[in-house]
Amino acid sequence: MAQETVADLAKEFRMGVQEALDLLVGLGVEVEAATSQVEEADAEIFRELVAEERRQVREQAHKQRRRQAGDLLAGEVRLDERTAEEVAEAKAAADTSAIEIPATVSLRQFAEIVKENPGSLMLMLQADGKPASINMKFSAEDAISLAAERFNLRLRKQTATAAPEPVKKTTGRKGVDPVPPVVTVMGHVDHGKTTLLDTIRHANVVSGEAGGITQHIGAYQVEHNGHKITFIDTPGHEAFTDMRARGAKVTDIVVLVIAADDGVMPQTVEAINHAKAAQVPILVAVNKCDVQGADPQRAKQQLLEYNLIAEDFGGEVICVETSAKVGTGVGDLLDSILLVAEVEELSGNPRLNPVGTVIEAHLDKGRGPVASVLVRDGTLKKGDSLVVGTAWGRVRTMLDHLGREITSAGPSTPVEVLGLSEVPAVGEPIEVAKNEKRARKLAEDYASDARDEVTGAPTTAATLEDFLAQVQAGEVDKLNVVLKADVQGSIEAILHKLAGFKTSDVAVDVKHSAVGPISKSDVDLAKTTGSILIGFNTSVEPQVRALADDEGVEIRLYAVIYQLLDDLRQALEGMLAPEVTETVLGHADVLQVFKISGVGNIAGCKVSDGWMRRNESVRVFRAESLIFDGKLTTLKRIKEMVSEVIEGLECGIHLTGYRDIKPGDRLECYTVTETARSLDL
């Protein structure tokens, strides 16, 4: 059969020439065709198939556009006969009817928009010499151009909606009704912040804190002289810098607690900086005024260095001397808070949709995801469809700071919210949607945007030169960790500190972090990634512990953060290669070489400086060139084995593994010491 007949057959049945040849040969038909002819015919058929596909696509799109134009113009007016006003109106209508697309769109999504088979689009792009895959990404501009050129469709890029403006805190919140002030208590660790709040709200919180340190944010509301005050208790340990920063961003007033016997400390300065960055008023509670050695005036003088001038010194900063332990001055402090709130004219509008922030979140075994939300303005109601970042759901239950179930929460009210799909991130704003379906869609969009930001980030391609450079520099050792904690705030604080545990040699690589108890999946992940499991204020079921032991996965549990950080620091220091120090002990010149049966060559030497020591390292130089580096295993002086020979004396030296010793060679004896390195942070 002729080659042309085979090509016609392949074209008719829409198959490749080689495929047609195989079919004919299988049927017993003899066909003569050169490989180049088959390839050329295949390419021609491919081009024709693509052209046919494109022609059909254009015809279909053209018919569709003609039907749309016929509907718009009633089939009576030709395009070139329209008036300028009609042209403008038609153009405006076309613009409003254009399909919106995101900034980036995959080939699969583009196929759905233009209502085409993704395989046909791949053929079309490949025919134009462009690589194409089902997950290929187009920019909005490329997609618009392609749609207009090939499919006569109008697309337009989605316009970004302006984000709601944050609440300004320079002069307080302005609304229609007075609202309780939101007060954040800050200061150095062990200066009495939690004890002060304990005295204010008549609840013993300190005894429930591991090591006496508050380790996650809590919000509470108290009433004083008929007025409500909302308190946010931020942790005092230095690792919780970010959490204190978030506390300052959602607050109206900051109460800075300073111990009268201790004065201004590093974390006190840090709290001052956060409060100033948030542009909120600062009140100072000089605490522990009842203890021995207390000097409130010294604490106030130290504040002058940070431009906080107390009223006693002619400034505007209110300083109240207190003793949280016995309750002295607490009433005066609350009076001062209400006075500042009145000056700030804090107000809100409970009739608006709620605006708030997640100040804490955790996973409860019986209740599921629980979010502590501070409602800043508006009113959050039971049954509202809520979106919090990638979490969504309906407010199934709301609890106030005393654990009582409530149906609504107005401005400046802290509540616990149950009913979300997952544990939200601390600091996420809340948003109320029309219904659960809309809330879920918004949350999925947020999650998709977050993934696009990660996958769309530019990456640097690794080259062979880069790889060789890394090999020569030495690979970075990593301590792999899977982290579980009781609340989201603790996780963020620990991750913040671990990010600083990094040098050019070692680093901590957190493979996974989440809220909740250590589970079987955590053990599996730790085994796969070669990680250790760290639990902070969380538990491990006995069966999970047994599984970890069987799999050889180490689990470490901690209740105080600085113990966790100290252990990880020591682990990293153990991974550091020791510092190697070399010390030259002395030199010897080879005067004569003796051959001894059964032993080998013995070098008769004279020590020129320092000393030669047995079992130390030795180098052999010949004409300034290094020819051997090994161990000095045998050292004799007048036929006696000795440990060392000093300068000016002669000796016999045998080098294990080296026989080519010659007169005139020079030996250098040296020692190598290794010193453990510390993590310099």
Side-chain angles (χ1 to χ4, degrees):
M1 182 179 289
Q3 172 65 42
E4 293 78 10
T5 306
V6 176
D8 293 339
L9 179 65
K11 190 183 303 182
E12 181 178 354
F13 288 97
R14 303 177 71 85
M15 63 175 66
V17 173
Q18 186 61 56
E19 187 178 357
L21 285 172
D22 294 339
L23 177 62
L24 292 172
V25 170
L27 295 174
V29 180
E30 294 185 1
V31 181
E32 293 184 2
T35 302
S36 59
Q37 292 175 319
V38 171
E39 293 175 348
E40 183 179 352
D42 264 336
E44 177 62 24
I45 290 175
F46 180 80
R47 286 192 293 269
E48 291 186 14
L49 286 175
V50 171
E52 178 65 17
E53 291 277 358
R54 291 168 63 181
R55 185 185 64 79
Q56 293 178 2
V57 166
R58 284 197 299 270
E59 284 185 0
Q60 183 179 358
H62 184 58
K63 289 178 181 178
Q64 182 180 357
R65 298 300 294 173
R66 287 187 62 185
R67 285 195 300 270
Q68 293 174 351
D71 293 338
L72 289 173
L73 302 175
E76 297 178 359
V77 183
R78 290 177 51 187
L79 295 180
D80 55 358
E81 294 176 352
R82 292 182 297 174
T83 64
E85 292 183 359
E86 291 172 333
V87 171
E89 290 177 1
K91 184 176 180 182
D95 288 338
T96 57
S97 63
I99 303 172
E100 286 193 347
I101 60 172
T104 58
V105 60
S106 68
L107 188 142
R108 185 192 300 275
Q109 294 170 326
F110 183 73
E112 293 176 358
I113 292 172
V114 299
K115 294 181 173 51
E116 285 298 326
N117 189 306
S120 299
L121 293 181
M122 291 173 59
L123 285 174
M124 181 185 71
L125 293 171
Q126 290 170 355
D128 290 342
K130 299 176 182 178
S133 66
I134 198 68
N135 295 318
M136 175 183 176
K137 292 282 188 179
F138 293 98
S139 67
E141 292 75 13
D142 291 341
I144 291 170
S145 174
L146 184 62
E149 177 185 350
R150 302 294 177 88
F151 305 105
N152 293 328
L153 290 179
R154 295 185 64 82
L155 306 181
R156 66 178 178 184
K157 186 178 179 181
Q158 285 180 347
T159 55
T161 56
E165 299 220 354
V167 179
K168 295 184 179 179
K169 303 180 180 63
T170 53
T171 58
R173 288 174 284 157
K174 303 300 179 183
V176 295
D177 300 326
V179 298
V182 179
V183 180
T184 298
V185 180
M186 292 184 172
H188 192 72
V189 62
D190 199 32
H191 275 199
K193 301 181 302 298
T194 306
T195 306
L196 179 61
L197 279 172
D198 178 41
T199 303
I200 292 173
R201 65 179 179 266
H202 305 291
N204 188 8
V205 176
V206 176
S207 61
E209 299 288 355
I213 300 174
T214 305
Q215 305 197 52
H216 45 78
I217 294 176
Y220 314 90
Q221 201 167 58
V222 300
E223 189 169 330
H224 180 69
N225 293 338
H227 298 279
K228 290 183 178 180
I229 303 174
T230 300
F231 282 94
I232 297 179
D233 177 22
T234 61
H237 189 274
E238 60 152 350
F240 292 83
T241 301
D242 289 346
M243 294 177 67
R244 281 198 298 274
R246 282 198 303 273
K249 289 176 183 176
V250 298
T251 194
D252 297 315
I253 301 169
V254 164
V255 172
L256 183 66
V257 179
I258 304 175
D261 61 337
D262 210 2
V264 175
M265 299 298 286
Q267 290 169 359
T268 312
V269 178
E270 183 183 301
I272 292 172
N273 293 334
H274 288 314
K276 287 183 175 180
Q279 299 181 356
V280 293
I282 300 176
L283 274 73
V284 177
V286 183
N287 196 30
K288 298 188 179 182
C289 290
D290 60 320
V291 303
Q292 186 177 2
D295 188 354
Q297 295 301 314
R298 182 175 68 92
K300 296 176 185 178
Q301 290 174 353
Q302 290 176 334
L303 289 174
L304 296 175
E305 301 178 21
Y306 307 99
N307 201 26
L308 293 179
I309 306 172
E311 289 180 329
D312 298 357
F313 301 153
E316 298 180 353
V317 178
I318 299 175
C319 292
V320 182
E321 298 181 10
T322 64
S323 172
K325 195 170 185 179
V326 298
T328 306
V330 174
D332 295 337
L333 177 63
L334 296 177
D335 289 336
S336 299
I337 290 173
L338 292 175
L339 175 62
V340 173
E342 184 178 352
V343 172
E344 292 293 307
E345 298 180 353
L346 303 175
S347 58
N349 188 349
R351 288 169 289 282
L352 297 176
N353 283 333
V355 176
T357 305
V358 176
I359 56 176
E360 191 49 87
H362 66 279
L363 184 64
D364 188 276
K365 188 173 182 179
R367 300 185 298 170
V370 179
S372 298
V373 175
L374 176 64
V375 180
R376 293 288 294 158
D377 205 354
T379 300
L380 180 63
K381 301 176 183 178
K382 181 178 178 179
D384 280 346
S385 297
L386 207 59
V387 183
V388 190
T390 59
W392 63 278
R394 187 173 61 87
V395 180
R396 187 176 69 247
T397 305
M398 274 200 306
L399 306 174
D400 66 7
H401 65 286
L402 297 177
R404 300 172 302 190
E405 187 168 344
I406 58 177
T407 58
S408 64
S412 299
T413 304
V415 290
E416 274 194 340
V417 175
L418 282 68
L420 295 177
S421 60
E422 62 183 62
V423 178
V426 174
E428 285 283 0
I430 65 171
E431 179 181 351
V432 172
K434 293 181 180 180
N435 49 50
E436 282 190 82
K437 183 178 180 181
R438 177 61 178 166
R440 181 173 185 172
K441 178 65 168 59
L442 289 173
E444 290 174 349
D445 289 345
Y446 292 147
S448 177
D449 291 343
R451 287 193 299 268
D452 288 344
E453 287 180 7
V454 174
T455 57
T459 57
T460 304
T463 65
L464 180 60
E465 296 172 347
D466 295 334
F467 177 74
L468 292 176
Q470 291 176 2
V471 171
Q472 293 171 359
E475 293 183 358
V476 176
D477 290 326
K478 291 185 178 180
L479 177 63
N480 296 332
V481 169
V482 174
L483 175 64
K484 298 299 289 289
D486 55 342
V487 293
Q488 188 68 30
S490 298
I491 288 178
E492 292 192 4
I494 295 171
L495 293 179
H496 174 75
K497 287 298 294 183
L498 293 183
F501 282 19
K502 184 178 181 180
T503 69
S504 58
D505 299 318
V506 297
V508 177
D509 188 2
V510 180
K511 296 296 185 182
H512 174 65
S513 62
V515 172
I518 295 175
S519 64
K520 178 182 179 298
S521 61
D522 298 323
V523 175
D524 294 338
L525 177 62
K527 178 186 177 183
T528 303
T529 58
S531 305
I532 62 171
L533 261 169
I534 300 292
F536 181 70
N537 278 340
T538 190
S539 59
V540 186
E541 296 291 338
Q543 57 268 30
V544 176
R545 173 76 75 174
L547 174 64
D549 293 340
D550 293 341
E551 299 291 349
V553 175
E554 182 180 9
I555 298 179
R556 295 193 176 195
L557 300 178
Y558 299 90
V560 180
I561 190 172
Y562 51 73
Q563 293 177 352
L564 183 156
L565 298 176
D566 287 346
D567 280 2
L568 288 183
R569 180 188 179 111
Q570 292 174 7
L572 286 176
E573 288 177 346
M575 294 170 61
L576 288 171
E579 185 175 347
V580 179
T581 305
E582 179 183 303
T583 304
V584 175
L585 301 178
H587 297 87
D589 296 320
V590 179
L591 304 178
Q592 191 173 355
V593 177
F594 304 94
K595 294 183 179 180
I596 299 178
S597 177
V599 177
N601 292 341
I602 301 296
C605 306
K606 183 176 182 179
V607 181
S608 58
D609 62 83
W611 60 85
M612 306 299 285
R613 183 179 296 166
R614 183 160 54 93
N615 293 329
E616 293 289 0
S617 300
V618 65
R619 299 188 185 98
V620 179
F621 293 90
R622 182 175 297 163
E624 304 300 329
S625 297
L626 177 64
I627 58 175
F628 176 73
D629 191 345
K631 283 288 185 181
L632 199 163
T633 53
T634 304
L635 180 64
K636 288 188 176 183
R637 166 77 177 153
I638 313 177
K639 298 184 179 181
E640 295 291 334
M641 187 74 73
V642 294
S643 59
E644 66 180 29
V645 178
I646 62 174
E647 179 181 346
L649 299 181
E650 295 182 350
C651 58
I653 294 176
H654 175 65
L655 303 178
T656 302
Y658 187 69
R659 295 185 177 184
D660 191 28
I661 192 78
K662 295 181 179 180
D665 290 345
R666 185 173 176 81
L667 277 61
E668 180 180 77
C669 185
Y670 67 96
T671 184
V672 176
T673 57
E674 294 184 351
T675 306
R677 294 166 57 193
S678 61
L679 201 61
D680 186 16
L681 299 178

